[in-house]
Amino acid sequence: DQGVKNLNIALDNTEILTSLTSNLINFEKEELYSNVLYVSECNLNEYINDYLKEFIQYAIKKNIHIEVHNTSNPHMTVLIDKNKIDSILRNIISNAIKYTEENGMISILISNDSRYWTIQISDTGIVPGAGVNNKRKEISQKSLGAKVISIGVPTVVHASTIASDTI
């Protein structure tokens, strides 16, 4: 029974890696040869929830809880280039799962204002200061003996910036 579950996880991850490889090749082609966006309209909430299904088994295996909060209209439609957004989300979410320890949490917030929509992803992964595979001490209440507030490196790209770059 456990072997079948592990095999299914491996098959799912193989599909994810194949898709990621294709997206990376497509990104390289697009960056080298074209600034064309392939924009389509979609319901952002449905898109995110459907997209997360790819990562559920991986998260369950590490006992990581993924929660989605939507402060925007649940029926909000947006114009996106799904291939580009897929590649960005796959990178961020797979890294969040990879670097979050067992029993951790990944939180996704979908929001909007009158001009922009936002997908904010946070996790309980790498402790600030510790980095990936380096020998520095973490910056935490445990190591410093005082409360610590930190922020990761935000990745922000406005659709208007992408659109104006293609014109």
Side-chain angles (χ1 to χ4, degrees):
D1 222 19
Q2 184 61 37
V4 172
K5 285 182 183 177
N6 288 340
L7 185 58
N8 285 331
I9 290 170
L11 289 172
D12 289 343
N13 286 335
T14 301
E15 289 177 24
I16 290 170
L17 288 173
T18 301
S19 178
L20 178 59
T21 302
S22 295
N23 281 345
L24 287 173
I25 291 168
N26 288 339
F27 257 131
E28 287 298 320
K29 286 180 186 175
E30 287 176 4
E31 283 188 18
L32 289 174
Y33 305 114
S34 171
N35 286 332
V36 176
L37 290 175
Y38 299 99
V39 177
S40 60
E41 187 175 52
C42 75
N43 176 303
L44 188 58
N45 194 50
E46 288 176 10
Y47 170 75
I48 295 295
N49 285 312
D50 287 344
Y51 193 77
L52 287 174
K53 290 176 185 173
E54 291 183 25
F55 298 95
I56 295 300
Q57 290 302 318
Y58 187 24
I60 288 172
K61 186 173 181 176
K62 289 186 72 178
N63 200 27
I64 295 172
H65 178 70
I66 299 176
E67 62 182 19
V68 178
H69 299 285
N70 186 352
T71 62
S72 66
N73 176 349
H75 305 291
M76 177 176 66
T77 58
V78 296
L79 296 173
I80 62 171
D81 182 325
K82 286 186 179 180
N83 285 334
K84 289 184 175 152
I85 297 296
D86 283 356
S87 187
I88 292 166
L89 288 177
R90 183 173 288 111
N91 186 358
I92 293 171
I93 294 170
S94 62
N95 279 340
I97 294 172
K98 180 179 179 180
Y99 294 111
T100 296
E101 293 185 15
E102 282 193 30
N103 302 313
M105 179 186 284
I106 297 170
S107 180
I108 300 171
L109 173 65
I110 303 168
S111 61
N112 73 300
D113 61 23
S114 62
R115 295 185 61 195
Y116 303 106
W117 53 269
T118 303
I119 302 169
Q120 179 180 326
I121 302 171
S122 57
D123 60 66
T124 56
I126 298 172
V127 176
V132 179
N133 296 326
N134 69 36
K135 298 183 187 341
R136 286 181 271 162
K137 284 188 174 184
E138 65 185 55
I139 300 170
S140 67
Q141 184 169 359
K142 181 175 136 184
S143 67
L144 296 176
K147 273 195 162 195
V148 174
I149 298 173
S150 63
I151 185 168
V153 178
T155 303
V156 178
V157 178
H158 291 286
S160 60
T161 302
I162 295 171
S164 68
D165 288 347
T166 62
I167 297 175

